[in-house]
Amino acid sequence: MCATPIPAGQPLQRRLRRPVSVLTALTAVIGTSSMAGPAQAIAAAPPCALQRTDAHHSLGLDTWNDSYVRPKGTVNAVLLFLSFPESRPLTSPAQLAEDYFPATGNFFERASYGQFKLRAHPVEKWIEMPAESRAYDIARDWNTDMRSAYLHDAITVTDPYVDFSRYDIVYFIADPEAPGVDSDATKVVNFQNPVSVDGTELRRIVTVFERYPADRNVLAHETGHVFDLPDLYNRPKDGKGDWDTYVGDWDLMGSQFGLAPDPFGWHKWKLGWLGEEQVDCVQEPGTTVHTLRPLSAPLAPKKVAAPGSRMVAVRTGPSEVLAVEVREPVGNDVSLCSGGVLVYRVKSDTASARGPVEVLDAHPGSGACHSASVHPPLADAPLRQGESLSVDDGAVRVTAVARSVSGEWTVKITKR
């Protein structure tokens, strides 16, 4: 559907009152809102795969929310570049596209063990918005009407240049030098009701307001939300304070600046990059011994027998598990601070940005990489060889027994 273009000189207030169907449909909610969406059952979900709940971006694995893109095979994304009447861009669309790709695609290809390719299709021209950048009051906590007006205008002006039905993901990238652009407003916008354009339904759009050059992994972080991954940071109530107390450097959904940005094994399981055969499940009391390979190391070819799993999930409650995995300086984690056996808690009933994942610190009295880590107290969280971590008053005990010359770790888990 091609929307009727809005004259450039028309005031924003008048456009907000105009009864345009696309604008009416753009009753948008941002990532912290609750949107459970339709569910597709996963056949014979293993017992440690938590049940998905109504929590936004729930980390339950027994079903998949079909309103989100599944990152398997090739996913096509269009990059659309928006300028504003009062500002002449200082960078070209080609420069901005190169700022994000191929780096973002390479990140996901490594994270998925080559099972997912994000293919970018930039429309390399500036497409001018009808109102000045400051007229939209762009901000992190964006006024709903202003955000809807921005999205309506962006769809309207770009529709003549792109067939939205050809793409799985839409990135609207604003001129980074425009005076009203706020980099803190970069995020995924979800629609309560899908917007029909070019015979396809848009359920969410990535709005990018980054400066040039952009922050490392920022687009990969936002794209993670398109795949139903939650924010793992802790957002202080007043916006001031430490944002990284839940997971620190571990997993880019906590911080795009993290030293170990590879997605947690639990996220990889949710997205289908790890199969059940790569996850050991512990339900019953007793002691079990596991061989774990580093999470970020490439998967062995199917015809090659490779020892070890990638993660252990210890069921600790109806909506909670302890996850155990090995993190070492390989792949996306090449710059990590301190490797070893990482233990974290996963809660499927906890919403995005409210602590659905919490890294458990094996060394609570120390920190590491103070000049580079986003949260030094958790930079040395993994267990080293011979160390143990007792969780929930001894209900679970994890011991990093030994590391082999070839890189596999032997891990012992005792569950009461």
Side-chain angles (χ1 to χ4, degrees), residues 57-288:
H57 292 314
S58 169
L59 287 179
L61 304 181
D62 65 323
T63 58
W64 176 263
N65 186 338
D66 272 341
S67 70
Y68 288 90
V69 176
R70 293 208 81 159
K72 296 282 282 185
T74 299
V75 171
N76 291 292
V78 62
L79 281 63
L80 295 161
F81 301 91
L82 304 176
S83 63
F84 302 90
E86 85 282 20
S87 178
R88 182 177 180 179
L90 301 180
T91 52
S92 70
Q95 287 175 298
L96 293 180
E98 290 174 0
D99 198 24
Y100 298 113
F101 289 92
T104 302
N106 291 342
F107 177 91
F108 283 115
E109 188 164 359
R110 288 189 295 267
S112 68
Y113 312 107
Q115 299 172 76
F116 163 52
K117 296 183 185 297
L118 180 60
R119 182 172 295 168
H121 301 268
V123 177
E124 293 188 354
K125 67 178 280 94
W126 285 110
I127 303 172
E128 187 171 291
M129 294 282 277
E132 295 186 356
S133 60
R134 285 170 289 205
Y136 297 104
D137 291 336
I138 299 166
R140 181 181 184 89
D141 297 315
W142 208 347
N143 172 275
T144 299
D145 286 343
M146 293 297 184
R147 184 176 60 240
S148 297
Y150 178 86
L151 290 169
H152 164 259
D153 287 354
I155 292 172
T156 298
V157 298
T158 58
D159 192 31
Y161 300 97
V162 63
D163 180 355
F164 286 97
S165 68
R166 297 175 57 190
Y167 303 103
D168 307 291
I169 302 174
V170 177
Y171 298 106
F172 281 144
I173 302 176
D175 172 16
E177 302 301 329
V181 167
D182 179 358
S183 62
D184 210 29
T186 295
K187 62 182 60 180
V188 176
V189 180
N190 298 308
F191 303 137
Q192 288 179 335
N193 299 301
V195 177
S196 180
V197 185
D198 295 336
T200 192
E201 290 188 339
L202 299 181
R203 295 181 178 273
R204 55 192 49 82
I205 286 175
V206 185
T207 54
V208 181
F209 300 101
E210 293 299 304
R211 297 297 179 187
Y212 176 78
D215 292 342
R216 177 168 58 94
N217 284 334
V218 65
L219 199 67
H221 172 100
E222 298 304 333
T223 305
H225 292 314
V226 178
F227 307 143
D228 199 19
L229 295 184
D231 280 319
L232 301 183
Y233 52 71
N234 165 45
R235 185 179 182 185
K237 291 182 179 180
D238 60 357
K240 300 178 181 179
D242 196 336
W243 291 61
D244 302 301
T245 56
Y246 288 139
V247 302
D249 292 279
W250 310 96
D251 196 308
L252 84 164
M253 299 312 294
S255 172
Q256 64 261 33
F257 301 107
L259 299 177
D262 205 39
F264 286 122
W266 190 268
H267 280 170
K268 296 190 182 199
W269 195 18
K270 173 177 179 173
L271 299 179
W273 301 339
L274 287 179
E276 184 180 347
E277 72 281 0
Q278 293 286 339
V279 180
D280 294 350
C281 178
V282 176
Q283 286 194 97
E284 305 300 328
T287 298
T288 54

